[in-house]
Amino acid sequence: MASEVILPRLGQGMEAGTILRWLVAEGDQVKKGQPLFELDTDKVTQEVEAEASGVLLKIVVPEGEVPVGTAIAYVGEAGESVPEGTGTQPVEEAAPREQVPVPTESAPAAVPEPATVAAAGNGGRVKASPLARRIARERGIDLASLSGTGPEGRIVAEDVERAAVAPAPAEAAPAAAPAVAAARGEVERVELTSLRRTIARRLTEAWTVPAFQISMSADMTKTQELRALLLERYPDERPTVTDVLTKVCAIALMRHRDVNATFTEDAIELHAAANVGLAVATDRGLVVPVIAGADSRTVAEIAAARADLVGRARDAKLTAGDLEGGTFTISNLGMYGVEQFIAVLNPPQAAILAVGAIEERPVARPGAPPAAAGFDGGASSSAQIVARPMMTMTLTCDHRTIDGAVAADFLRTVKDFLEEPGLTL
């Protein structure tokens, strides 16, 4: 009997996913574990593998948004009949869940992706990355009209973005009308993506948590010196200050396990490993891939893992497993020149560290004793004003899990480790 291919749940809270394309055509032989289709969720885009071997007898849902648990295809023996009406959802019922912008005077209606439609019949699909397909779908751009600059002519996100700002010659005159309308103050409507909806929902949940913040600044002189040495020793991994900070935080979390915690309704869970999430900005929105077991990795290993995760995050290639299991999060806006900021909690984690830019600041340091003059015998020590590379860190904590003293001890440990990294790394 033919077996159903069910849209899987790839993470807690996932209620639906969007089928981007099938990697196998109807009538093709498939093996268990073979990539079957590309699925876009509210967090990641990834390939879903076949759970059984056989022939792909029928694709019930070629593309579009589908609820979790829906039968989207059948796999069985060649020539085997496909059951009708056994828990499947017709394409006509599943497809309307796709969010299609309503035409307005300032925004044209989105149109179906011609490349995907053409592929359904003859397999002649235009080669394009999942992120490029998503952007094209959201902006109503025909992928078949583009030339790809990726490997083997594959269309990448940059190609679609370029097409979005460069009007075709035949449509140059009509294209000027929306620009004129926009100049007159009309509103452009941008439909929410599934990821943006998830970000909105999770941030709203985080805002209900009773949180507090504390800040400290660390002298980064020795951390910068250490980073220079690491660059010489590991040129391929190219460790960054963020990688050193990740390792430092992981060690501090093992010393202050109350911070390496998650909150549940009836318990506080203290974790045995520091799984550090890094907030990464992408074209689709903010994602937080996790470096698992950062406490047991070297800085070079963390650098390699970070480069891989950030690269795949920006190419929309993360898997659900890359985003799960985090026990602590770091959000770094220093590269944008931000001096200090407050990050929003990432529930159920107990804390998140916001990191600002490293900048030269005047700092008081012990100096040489002044010459004794006019005082009873005595020379006393004086302070000397010097410039130091300083970095401000702000820790946001869930007060249900962490008290102020615990948070202060943890942040002090991070500061001490950054100022004397040779003692810990």
Side-chain angles (χ1 to χ4, degrees), residues 19 33 48 63 67 99 125 144 147 187 191 205 221 250 276 295 305 386 389-390 396:
I19 299 173
V48 177
E63 64 174 4
Q99 297 295 319
R125 176 178 297 276
S147 297
V187 176
E191 297 294 330
E205 292 173 356
T221 301
V276 180
D295 54 298
V386 296
M390 304 297 292
T396 299

Side-chain angles (χ1 to χ4, degrees), residues 332-341 355-359 361 392:
N332 189 345
L333 292 180
M335 67 287 294
Y336 298 103
V338 175
E339 299 173 4
Q340 182 179 359
F341 70 103
V355 182
I358 299 175
E359 55 182 2
R361 301 179 197 163
T392 299

Side-chain angles (χ1 to χ4, degrees), residues 44 79 81 83 86 90 99 122 156 167 194 226 286 308 397 408 417 421 425:
V44 296
S81 61
T86 56
Q99 297 295 319
N122 55 22
V156 295
S194 57
L226 173 63
L286 187 70
D308 172 64
C397 304
F417 286 174
L425 302 183

Side-chain angles (χ1 to χ4, degrees), residues 11-54:
Q12 291 183 350
M14 176 180 167
E15 300 298 333
T18 301
I19 299 173
L20 296 179
R21 65 171 179 142
W22 287 85
L23 306 176
V24 180
E26 287 186 2
D28 287 354
Q29 189 76 29
V30 298
K31 295 182 179 179
K32 183 177 181 179
Q34 175 184 346
L36 198 57
F37 60 95
E38 282 186 353
L39 179 64
D40 184 41
T41 72
D42 55 5
K43 294 182 179 179
V44 296
T45 297
Q46 71 177 74
E47 295 178 347
V48 177
E49 299 177 350
E51 296 186 354
S53 298

Side-chain angles (χ1 to χ4, degrees), residues 128-331:
S129 70
L131 181 56
R133 292 183 185 279
R134 170 185 282 274
I135 296 174
R137 185 168 61 250
E138 292 174 351
R139 302 192 180 184
I141 297 174
D142 181 359
L143 285 176
S145 66
L146 305 183
S147 297
T149 60
E152 300 180 354
R154 190 183 195 203
I155 297 172
V156 295
E158 290 78 2
D159 300 324
V160 184
E161 294 284 2
R162 196 178 301 114
V165 298
E171 299 179 353
V180 174
R184 293 174 180 168
E186 295 191 10
V187 176
E188 178 184 0
R189 180 179 174 86
V190 179
E191 297 294 330
L192 291 177
T193 62
S194 57
L195 177 59
R196 182 56 60 184
R197 289 192 186 95
T198 298
I199 292 172
R201 173 177 55 80
R202 286 188 54 78
L203 290 180
T204 301
E205 292 173 356
W207 205 249
T208 65
V209 174
F212 68 92
Q213 295 82 27
I214 59 173
S215 297
M216 287 187 188
S217 293
D219 185 336
M220 299 296 285
T221 301
K222 293 186 178 180
T223 290
Q224 289 183 321
E225 293 172 354
L226 173 63
R227 193 245 171 170
L229 293 174
L230 291 171
L231 277 175
E232 293 180 4
R233 184 173 300 180
Y234 305 102
D236 294 335
E237 290 81 1
R238 297 194 60 79
T240 65
V241 170
T242 297
D243 300 322
V244 177
L245 178 63
T246 300
K247 177 64 176 180
V248 163
C249 286
I251 297 173
L253 288 169
M254 292 296 93
R255 295 197 179 187
H256 303 273
R257 290 191 59 206
D258 288 345
V259 182
N260 194 44
T262 50
F263 182 86
T264 67
E265 290 301 323
D266 53 4
I268 296 173
E269 298 177 344
L270 306 181
H271 299 275
N275 302 328
V276 180
L278 300 177
V280 179
T282 71
D283 292 340
R284 302 173 60 205
L286 187 70
V287 293
V288 186
V290 176
I291 299 178
D295 54 298
S296 60
R297 301 194 190 199
T298 65
V299 175
E301 291 171 341
I302 290 173
R306 183 260 313 151
D308 172 64
L309 288 170
V310 171
R312 288 192 289 117
R314 291 176 177 162
D315 291 338
K317 293 293 186 182
L318 290 175
T319 67
D322 295 324
L323 303 171
E324 296 176 346
T327 60
F328 183 82
T329 298
I330 297 174
S331 181

Side-chain angles (χ1 to χ4, degrees), residues 79-104:
E80 190 174 358
S81 61
V82 176
E84 297 291 342
T86 56
T88 64
Q89 233 185 330
V91 180
E92 292 76 16
E93 293 181 13
R97 293 179 60 91
E98 185 84 19
Q99 297 295 319
V100 181
V102 177
T104 66

